[in-house]
Amino acid sequence: MKNLKIAIQKSGRLNEKSVQLLKNCGLDFENYKSSLITTVSNFNLEILFLRDDDIPGYVEEGIADLGIVGENVIDETESKVTYLQRLGFGKCTLKLAIPKDSDIQDLKDLNGKSIATSYPVILQNFLAEYNIQADIQEISGSVEIAPGLGLSDAICDIVSTGGTLKSNGLKPFADVRKSEAILIGRDGLEENEILCELLQRIQSVLRAKETKYVVLNVEKSNLPLITELLHGVKSPTVVPLAEEGWVAVHTVISEDDFWGKINRLKSAGAQGIVVMPIEKIIL
Ligand code: ATP
Ligand code: ZN
């Protein structure tokens, strides 16, 4: 079978998590050092290490079959690629920000103002949606210093914590677009067997990340309360303990309501609660 090629970022914010995801899928390969391409030894896949900006274009043209990249980059390059799977990392928001003492109060106050950004396409589409005419100043890096230098009245940039904005005397003003890392594919790949296998592995890794394996001990008389609280993959496994009248309950619960559930389990009589990470969940 012909190998598929997947493009991932060679260094930067998405590199480590992209590599980790593929490794968690059981793929064995050498991480990027100096070669642009590496072969997975136990799966029909080659990995291309690229700058993130180049990934959507490579996939669109079919030079790579698959790619892992931020939605922001896909939108900015306006590439025609298929969204295959959200990956839950690389989360960030593209925001408009203005100087702390700015007189801009409303989106419409941006009319006639200048906005510095590295994302001119996304910003232009956003402004068009709100019928705003502003002057977009495209700059490639350190966008947050533009207002201080008198280059622009506002900026549009990726913000995760807001610390950089603050230290440059800026405050967030409006969200333009949320983004996370996505697995994308070229057209016509949907039925490919290698892709189906890879997608299944990725999904089982993602499912496992959202859930925990929980083991706890409880007196038999309290068991109905506990099982009611736990709606696992199926019903929980109940195993008798050496001590008369006690059982161990094994189940899988979602990370989301983790703490809420643990406390409710404790008040329902659960003891010796052990929580473990899960590597994969195969449905
Ligand atoms: P490259 O050298 O590959 O072009 P880059 O400098 O353009 O890298 P990075 O800063 O490594 O890009 O960010 C890659 C992606 O990570 C972004 O496009 C975005 O989707 C995501 N990301 C998540 N959090 C942040 C953040 N705080 N700042 C910037 N990007 C972020
Ligand atoms: Zn980039």
Side-chain angles (χ1 to χ4, degrees):
M1 214 182 311
K2 199 169 165 288
N3 281 352
L4 289 187
K5 292 192 184 74
I6 185 168
I8 66 172
Q9 193 188 24
K10 71 175 170 194
S11 65
R13 290 175 200 267
L14 300 182
N15 166 266
E16 204 178 309
K17 293 217 164 111
S18 306
V19 167
Q20 200 52 54
L21 174 67
L22 297 177
K23 297 228 155 161
N24 289 345
C25 288
L27 309 187
D28 188 22
F29 59 93
E30 287 271 324
N31 200 356
Y32 172 74
K33 287 196 185 79
S34 54
S35 66
L36 176 79
I37 189 159
T38 186
T39 305
V40 175
S41 64
N42 58 353
F43 198 79
N44 289 80
L45 193 69
E46 280 161 57
I47 303 174
L48 297 176
F49 297 95
L50 301 174
R51 282 202 54 196
D52 68 345
D53 313 66
D54 297 333
I55 293 175
Y58 269 61
V59 173
E60 183 174 7
E61 285 165 30
I63 299 165
D65 303 288
L66 301 167
I68 295 179
V69 71
E71 292 168 287
N72 54 319
V73 178
I74 306 169
D75 276 13
E76 188 58 31
T77 53
E78 297 187 298
S79 309
K80 294 193 180 38
V81 293
T82 311
Y83 274 46
L84 295 170
Q85 177 68 50
R86 309 181 82 84
L87 299 173
F89 61 85
K91 288 189 178 168
C92 57
T93 308
L94 194 61
K95 289 188 189 216
L96 282 161
I98 51 175
K100 266 194 292 230
D101 54 4
S102 170
D103 54 6
I104 296 169
Q105 286 180 355
D106 211 305
L107 277 177
K108 66 178 184 328
D109 297 336
L110 289 169
N111 271 305
K113 299 281 202 250
S114 69
I115 310 171
T117 188
S118 324
Y119 294 94
V121 174
I122 297 178
L123 178 57
Q124 182 51 52
N125 290 339
F126 176 83
L127 294 176
E129 204 178 306
Y130 290 90
N131 267 324
I132 293 162
Q133 255 94 46
D135 174 25
I136 298 177
Q137 300 278 335
E138 183 179 352
I139 45 179
S140 60
S142 306
V143 171
E144 63 285 348
I145 63 171
L149 294 175
L151 253 166
S152 72
D153 304 300
I155 67 160
C156 173
D157 201 9
I158 282 180
V159 176
S160 46
T161 61
T164 315
L165 290 184
K166 216 170 175 187
S167 58
N168 284 284
L170 302 172
K171 60 180 182 189
F173 169 60
D175 287 2
V176 173
R177 198 212 194 292
K178 287 197 185 309
S179 174
E180 70 179 74
I182 299 271
L183 177 73
I184 53 171
R186 66 169 165 81
D187 256 2
L189 196 67
E190 290 75 11
E191 301 290 306
N192 183 284
E193 255 177 69
I194 306 167
L195 171 62
C196 291
E197 169 72 25
L198 182 66
L199 260 181
Q200 202 184 13
R201 292 193 191 190
I202 289 177
Q203 284 159 359
S204 74
V205 170
L206 295 176
R207 264 196 300 274
K209 220 165 48 192
E210 288 159 13
T211 46
K212 298 282 173 219
Y213 192 88
V214 178
V215 180
L216 57 87
N217 297 333
V218 68
E219 242 176 322
K220 245 188 192 156
S221 54
N222 288 329
L223 189 59
L225 270 173
I226 300 284
T227 47
E228 201 180 311
L229 279 169
L230 297 170
H231 309 285
V233 169
K234 270 196 178 152
S235 55
T237 309
V238 180
V239 194
L241 291 185
E243 191 174 334
E244 190 62 33
W246 282 77
V247 289
V249 179
H250 293 230
T251 195
V252 168
I253 68 176
S254 99
E255 172 97 74
D256 278 354
D257 53 0
F258 178 71
W259 289 109
K261 268 212 174 133
I262 294 294
N263 288 329
R264 269 149 58 208
L265 289 169
K266 268 173 40 187
S267 25
Q271 291 184 14
I273 305 174
V274 176
V275 181
M276 290 169 273
I278 300 174
E279 202 176 283
K280 294 179 182 68
I281 296 181
I282 293 129
L283 294 180

